[in-house]
């Protein structure tokens, strides 16, 4: 189950993402927003982060104007690893190396063609499970140096 959240800056791109996921038969939960009316990105970042941490959803996709504000908010939650990706290489690498559980994009940065390729790569790529990557991910939330 994929959790979706966006603000007004990401609303139009999110409609493309939703149509794409539906076409592929992938299930999602839409946590808003539901129009291009101005709103606040932290609302949707928090909803999606909580849905993942509770186990209600496995992965998330967040879209604001740049992908930045919404990712900063999501990354304040322990256990959330939200990566802003505007290229396919980064989407693959952040799954393999960082086990990112949320993809963030900017609706004012990427067009729908590239964005959907990024979404596909993010969703299809497994975590490598290599000990060095597991160790580094553990260090993200550790107080040790
Ligand atoms: C909204 O205008 C814009 O600030 C927001 O979508 C996002 O880009 C913030 O990081």
């Amino acid at each position: 189950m994929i959790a979706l959240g966006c603000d007004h800056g990401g609303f139009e791109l999110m409609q493309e993402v939703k149509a794409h996921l539906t076409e592929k038969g992938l299930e999602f939960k839409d946590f808003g927003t539901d129009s291009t009316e101005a709103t606040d990105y932290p609302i949707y970042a928090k909803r999606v982060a909580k849905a993942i941490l509770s186990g209600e959803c496995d992965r998330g996709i967040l879209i604001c104007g740049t992908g930045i504000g919404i990712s900063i908010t999501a990354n304040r939650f322990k256990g959330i690893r939200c990566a802003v990706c505007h290229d396919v290489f980064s989407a693959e690498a952040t799954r393999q190396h960082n086990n990112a559980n949320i993809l963030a994009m900017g609706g004012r940065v990427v067009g729908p063609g590239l964005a959907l390729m990024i979404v596909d790569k993010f969703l299809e790529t497994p975590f490598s499970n290599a000990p060095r990557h597991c160790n580094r991910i553990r260090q993200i939330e550790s107080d040790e140096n």
Side-chain angles (χ1 to χ4, degrees):
M1 182 62 74
I2 304 161
L4 304 180
C6 66
D7 73 356
H8 53 291
F11 178 76
E12 283 176 7
L13 181 56
M14 188 58 90
Q15 304 322 297
E16 304 271 356
V17 170
K18 279 161 61 173
H20 184 67
L21 297 178
T22 301
E23 200 173 300
K24 296 189 82 165
L26 296 173
E27 285 192 306
F28 59 82
K29 285 191 182 170
D30 186 355
F31 291 90
T33 187
D34 56 8
S35 78
T36 54
E37 192 177 326
T39 182
D40 303 321
Y41 58 79
I43 297 168
Y44 311 99
K46 290 178 185 182
R47 288 180 187 169
V48 166
K50 287 176 183 174
I52 288 171
L53 293 175
S54 72
E56 183 184 356
C57 294
D58 313 295
R59 301 266 185 92
I61 300 174
L62 288 170
I63 310 178
C64 64
T66 59
I68 297 171
I70 211 158
S71 64
I72 289 173
T73 312
N75 278 320
R76 293 183 62 103
F77 288 75
K78 192 178 167 95
I80 293 296
R81 292 174 300 281
C82 177
V84 185
C85 298
H86 291 131
D87 66 273
V88 175
F89 175 82
S90 298
E92 181 174 51
T94 197
R95 285 291 310 130
Q96 291 174 335
H97 294 209
N98 317 123
N99 199 10
N101 45 18
I102 301 181
L103 166 68
M105 296 185 291
R108 297 170 183 158
V109 181
V110 277
L114 176 56
L116 299 182
M117 290 174 72
I118 292 168
V119 165
D120 285 346
K121 187 59 79 179
F122 183 81
L123 295 177
E124 78 192 19
T125 305
F127 176 49
S128 79
N129 253 314
R132 69 183 186 284
H133 293 312
C134 294
N135 182 36
R136 289 165 189 159
I137 290 168
R138 265 196 304 276
Q139 288 182 50
I140 293 173
E141 284 168 3
S142 157
D143 290 333
E144 297 162 26
N145 287 326

